[in-house]
Amino acid sequence: MLNILVLGGTDEARRLAAALAGRAGTHVVSSLAGRVRDPKLPVGEVHEGGFGGPGGLATWIGERGIDVVVDATHPFAARMTASAVEATGRAGVPLLILRRPGWQAASGDDWRWVPSLAAAAELLPALGQRVFLTTGRRSLPVFAGLDGLWFLARSVDPPEPPAPRHLEVLLSRGPFTVQGELALMRHYRVDMLVTKDSGGEMTTAKLLAARELGLPVVIVRRPPHPGGVPSVETVEEALTWLESTVGHAG
């Protein structure tokens, strides 16, 4: 039996688990961090919550007889990725990183790339006054001191303080449509968009809407991949890698 641990929470992780589930000689366990209420659950066995750091994950891998780990977490889950690198090294099992490709600007886009959320916050006052913030509820404290700006923040779960003084929160989960994003931006009269380079198609509609409206978009760059770890961009590539590396996954 080939035992595969998928560190998930993303659409790619769910699709990978679905592709692996039910295959002869293969058992997949999907791990969710537990940071989102009522998450979309993948097919098959699910482990919710943390492992207790790299040491705890290494122990869990050994106790469960895990043969290979696929890190299919969010592109900005740098801490989990670092933990996976250390834990698989301790446990002596291979690790694959599955990351969807980042976004690429096209004609008509006004994108401002920044290295961090803090750098994004510094840039905003020069761009306008009404901000559409789509960087996740945990990012709100970074923008809390910008009292001269108004924020529309969208997240799956309600944020916790500290938060910007002038804030309206929309609780919503993608995917979103271009027409819906256009209507939203026009209704709230936003004059800029702030996001992370998450990539994927579920949330690209906001970028297309911003392009149509001529709005500047502040985009936080992804953290770099750890060196020496194989990575792929699609579920299909992950399945091919698994087949060539440990077998029984193709």
Side-chain angles (χ1 to χ4, degrees):
M1 177 67 69
L2 176 66
N3 294 306
I4 301 175
L5 172 62
V6 177
L7 304 175
T10 61
D11 179 63
E12 290 79 17
R14 288 187 291 272
R15 289 192 287 114
L16 178 61
L20 293 170
R23 297 192 179 211
T26 300
H27 178 72
V28 60
V29 181
S30 297
S31 171
L32 303 181
R35 293 181 177 178
V36 176
R37 300 177 188 173
D38 191 26
K40 295 181 179 179
L41 295 178
V43 175
E45 184 180 347
V46 177
H47 171 86
E48 292 195 67
F51 295 94
L57 177 56
T59 299
W60 193 91
I61 288 172
E63 291 176 345
R64 291 296 303 266
I66 298 297
D67 299 294
V68 60
V69 177
V70 180
D71 174 14
T73 55
H74 191 275
F76 283 80
R79 182 177 298 179
M80 187 66 244
T81 296
S83 181
V85 171
E86 183 176 343
T88 52
R90 292 188 188 185
V93 300
L95 170 67
L96 175 70
I97 295 177
L98 169 57
R99 290 285 187 277
R100 54 182 177 259
W103 291 316
Q104 299 293 324
S107 177
D109 286 324
D110 180 9
W111 289 6
R112 321 291 178 93
W113 291 93
V114 293
S116 64
L117 288 167
E122 291 180 6
L123 183 59
L124 298 189
L127 298 179
Q129 293 184 322
R130 299 180 66 84
V131 185
F132 184 18
L133 189 62
T134 63
T135 52
R137 64 189 176 94
R138 295 178 182 271
S139 71
L140 289 185
V142 178
F143 303 91
L146 297 174
D147 294 342
L149 302 181
W150 179 89
F151 289 87
L152 174 67
R154 182 166 63 196
S155 65
V156 176
D157 295 321
E160 297 178 358
R165 177 179 299 179
H166 308 293
L167 171 69
E168 182 161 343
V169 177
L170 289 179
L171 300 181
S172 185
R173 189 198 304 263
F176 305 101
T177 67
V178 176
Q179 290 304 313
E181 299 289 63
L182 282 169
L184 183 71
M185 293 180 185
R186 285 168 173 153
H187 176 76
Y188 286 100
R189 297 179 289 110
V190 298
D191 46 28
M192 72 187 87
L193 169 67
V194 183
T195 190
K196 296 177 179 178
D197 183 21
S198 300
E201 298 181 355
M202 288 186 66
T203 56
T204 54
K206 63 189 175 188
L207 300 173
L208 300 177
R211 178 195 302 168
E212 184 168 333
L213 295 173
L215 301 182
V217 181
V218 179
I219 304 183
V220 180
R221 294 188 185 277
R222 295 179 173 190
H225 280 181
V229 180
S231 64
V232 295
E233 294 185 336
T234 68
V235 171
E236 292 72 24
E237 290 172 340
L239 291 170
T240 299
W241 183 90
L242 288 167
E243 175 66 19
S244 64
T245 303
V246 292
H248 305 299

